[in-house]
Amino acid sequence: MKDAIGSVFNLTLLFTFILIVTGFILFGINYYKAFQVKNELLTLIEKYEGNVELESFKSKAESIVNSLGYNPGSDAVNVVRNSGTNWSCVADQSWCYRKVSASEELAGTNANVKNYYEVLTFVSVDVPVINRIMARFDFFKVVGRTKAIRLR
């Protein structure tokens, strides 16, 4: 009887270790997806010079998101929408962006307005309870910024 209890403890410890290692691997894969989608979207926004409302931009962004298998769900997007910040979220693709303006003085007289865009993607683990908890933490959000885009 003593050996049976010891082997149950060992098997429980082994399965717990396997679940923890698998969880870290899955988190790493999903973090990589979010990071890659963010980089691709930043490149696309720079290519279109900030014209994110064009249909061709939207279709290419959708193809990027679909080709990389990025789908974190709507929990994180809903948290960002309800936070009162100025992020514009693309709900069906689960990423957000915002336009930030900055002015640069040229020769002391004229102001040349520059814009840059920030893109926000989310890390997801396909466990519903954990996704709701993770959506509230900034650690599970990936944010990036484009180069300055000058208005013409």
Side-chain angles (χ1 to χ4, degrees), residues 95-143:
W95 62 277
C96 302
Y97 67 93
R98 70 177 166 190
K99 179 179 172 181
V100 180
S101 297
S103 63
E104 176 185 55
E105 294 294 327
L106 295 176
T109 57
N110 296 337
N112 189 8
V113 177
K114 290 183 178 181
N115 294 324
Y116 61 89
Y117 287 81
E118 291 181 335
V119 172
L120 175 67
T121 57
F122 307 98
V123 179
S124 173
V125 178
D126 292 328
V127 179
V129 174
I130 294 176
N131 272 347
R132 289 193 178 141
I133 294 169
M134 286 175 44
R136 309 229 184 270
F137 296 107
D138 286 338
F139 177 73
F140 302 106
K141 298 174 184 170
V142 182
V143 180

Side-chain angles (χ1 to χ4, degrees), residues 71-92:
N71 187 13
S74 62
D75 289 333
V77 173
N78 291 335
V79 169
V80 170
R81 282 186 176 160
N82 297 332
S83 68
T85 58
N86 59 350
W87 289 98
S88 300
C89 295
V90 183
D92 57 335

Side-chain angles (χ1 to χ4, degrees), residues 1-134:
M1 184 68 177
K2 189 163 98 175
D3 289 336
I5 292 173
S7 64
V8 168
F9 176 74
N10 286 339
L11 286 175
T12 304
L13 191 62
L14 177 69
F15 288 135
T16 303
F17 177 75
I18 289 172
L19 284 174
I20 289 172
V21 169
T22 305
F24 278 125
I25 291 170
L26 289 174
F27 178 77
I29 290 170
N30 287 322
Y31 189 83
Y32 177 74
K33 281 182 186 179
F35 197 82
Q36 192 173 12
V37 166
K38 176 205 54 113
N39 286 341
E40 294 285 333
L41 290 172
L42 289 174
T43 303
L44 190 63
I45 289 172
E46 289 174 356
K47 180 181 174 184
Y48 277 85
E49 296 180 345
N51 296 318
V52 295
E53 299 300 322
L54 294 176
E55 283 301 318
S56 58
F57 173 85
K58 290 178 181 179
S59 65
K60 286 187 181 184
E62 184 176 3
S63 68
I64 287 171
V65 168
N66 291 336
S67 69
L68 295 175
Y70 172 75
N71 187 13
S74 62
D75 289 333
V77 173
N78 291 335
V79 169
V80 170
R81 282 186 176 160
N82 297 332
S83 68
T85 58
N86 59 350
W87 289 98
S88 300
C89 295
V90 183
D92 57 335
Q93 298 173 14
S94 298
W95 62 277
C96 302
Y97 67 93
R98 70 177 166 190
K99 179 179 172 181
V100 180
S101 297
S103 63
E104 176 185 55
E105 294 294 327
L106 295 176
T109 57
N110 296 337
N112 189 8
V113 177
K114 290 183 178 181
N115 294 324
Y116 61 89
Y117 287 81
E118 291 181 335
V119 172
L120 175 67
T121 57
F122 307 98
V123 179
S124 173
V125 178
D126 292 328
V127 179
V129 174
I130 294 176
N131 272 347
R132 289 193 178 141
I133 294 169
M134 286 175 44

